[in-house]
């Protein structure tokens, strides 16, 4: 009964490199959400995806950030040309398609940009 | 106006007391309401969900929902030091979730 699985748990990148964060939703869940959290701050919504579709990306920066949730495989949040300000915890969460579907979070991926 | 508002705290209560956490939301179309607990350096953990007006109890936790007042609260009875965490209120409307900024709770032994 695996929960939401995220990897890597910790990622260190130098400025200008790319970061790829992966998320496998809970079994039976078809909705994936990505959030960013800076230390001592609240969760910031980034993007909401269903299989092969981006439903809402209103919280995602227009440049350098992209997300996908392919038909097969995990959802991926990609950050190109990382900068120090991208250092944060990135949480993935998943939900099923029912009206009251609860949201469950993964352990998070902590990105450090040197 | 923010979708979800919480008092940021910090809230301190002595061990064994009742901790009361409050949350208001702006959109009457919100249909589901959740409380998450987040320990420092960890991910949010769902502890309560409530969908209809009234109270819902689970162990030491009671969630209260008043849709007319657009208000949801969480009561923690017999507070323990292990309850010290940040508590996030969330509401769901359609397929989107809206989070408050969280209330920091410290239970003093």
């Amino acid at each position: 009964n695996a929960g939401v699985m995220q990897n890597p748990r910790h990622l260190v990148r130098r400025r200008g490199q790319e970061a790829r964060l992966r998320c496998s939703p809970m079994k039976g869940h078809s909705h994936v959400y990505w959030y960013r959290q800076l230390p001592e701050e609240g969760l910031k919504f980034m993007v909401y995806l269903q299989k092969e579709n981006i439903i809402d990306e209103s919280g995602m920066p227009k440049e350098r950030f992209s997300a996908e949730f392919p038909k097969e495989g995990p959802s991926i949040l990609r950050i190109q040309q990382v900068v120090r300000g991208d250092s944060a915890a990135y949480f993935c969460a998943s939900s099923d398609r029912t009206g009251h579907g609860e949201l469950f979070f993964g352990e998070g991926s902590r990105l450090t940009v040197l | 106006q923010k979708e979800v508002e919480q008092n940021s705290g910090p809230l301190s209560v002595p061990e064994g007391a009742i901790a009361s956490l409050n949350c208001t939301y702006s959109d009457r179309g919100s249909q589901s309401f959740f409380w998450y607990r987040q320990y420092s350096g960890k991910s949010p953990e769902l502890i309560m969900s409530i969908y209809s007006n009234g109270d819902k109890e689970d162990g030491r936790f009671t969630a209260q929902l008043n849709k007319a007042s657009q208000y949801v609260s969480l009561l923690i009875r017999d507070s323990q030091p292990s309850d010290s965490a940040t508590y996030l209120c969330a509401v769901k409307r359609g397929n989107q979730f809206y989070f408050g900024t969280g209330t920091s709770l410290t239970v003093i032994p």
Side-chain angles (χ1 to χ4, degrees), chain A residues 12-75:
Chain A
V12 179
R13 286 288 179 265
R14 296 190 180 280
R15 282 179 296 170
Q17 292 184 320
E18 179 179 289
R20 284 196 181 211
L21 310 177
R22 289 175 289 278
C23 170
S24 294
M26 283 182 70
K27 186 175 182 180
H29 285 191
S30 56
H31 300 193
V32 166
Y33 304 76
W34 286 93
Y35 295 85
R36 177 164 64 176
Q37 189 174 43
L38 295 170
E40 308 304 321
E41 294 191 10
L43 288 169
K44 300 294 185 187
F45 166 76
M46 298 182 73
V47 61
Y48 159 43
L49 311 102
Q50 295 178 19
K51 281 286 187 183
E52 299 184 279
N53 285 302
I54 297 174
I55 307 302
D56 181 352
E57 57 182 347
S58 60
M60 200 152 67
K62 295 286 189 287
E63 297 180 355
R64 303 188 299 107
F65 286 73
S66 62
E68 62 177 4
F69 189 14
K71 185 176 181 180
E72 301 290 339
S75 175

Side-chain angles (χ1 to χ4, degrees), chain A residues 33 37 56 100 102-103 106 110, chain B residues 32 36 38 41 43 49 95:
Chain A
Y33 304 76
Q37 189 174 43
D56 181 352
H100 287 313
E102 297 167 327
L103 190 67
R110 282 152 181 83
Chain B
S32 307
Y36 289 82
Q38 187 175 25
S43 63
S49 54
N95 285 319

Side-chain angles (χ1 to χ4, degrees), chain B residues 35-83:
Chain B
W35 283 99
Y36 289 82
R37 177 177 61 201
Q38 187 175 25
Y39 292 114
S40 181
K42 301 295 186 182
S43 63
E45 173 192 9
L46 178 65
I47 56 172
M48 289 288 286
S49 54
I50 186 167
Y51 311 120
S52 54
N53 278 329
D55 295 359
K56 179 181 177 182
E57 186 175 317
D58 183 1
R60 295 185 296 111
F61 298 96
T62 298
Q64 299 174 317
L65 175 61
N66 184 326
K67 289 187 177 181
S69 300
Q70 296 175 234
Y71 176 90
V72 58
S73 66
L74 179 70
L75 300 177
I76 306 174
R77 290 182 300 282
D78 187 25
S79 295
Q80 301 297 309
S82 60
D83 295 326

Side-chain angles (χ1 to χ4, degrees), chain A residues 11-15 19 36-39 41 64-65 79 82-90 109-114:
Chain A
L11 183 63
V12 179
R13 286 288 179 265
R14 296 190 180 280
R15 282 179 296 170
R36 177 164 64 176
Q37 189 174 43
L38 295 170
E41 294 191 10
R64 303 188 299 107
F65 286 73
I79 311 172
V82 296
V83 300
R84 289 218 173 104
D86 296 332
S87 296
Y90 292 84
S109 291
R110 282 152 181 83
L111 172 65
T112 301
V113 180
L114 301 177

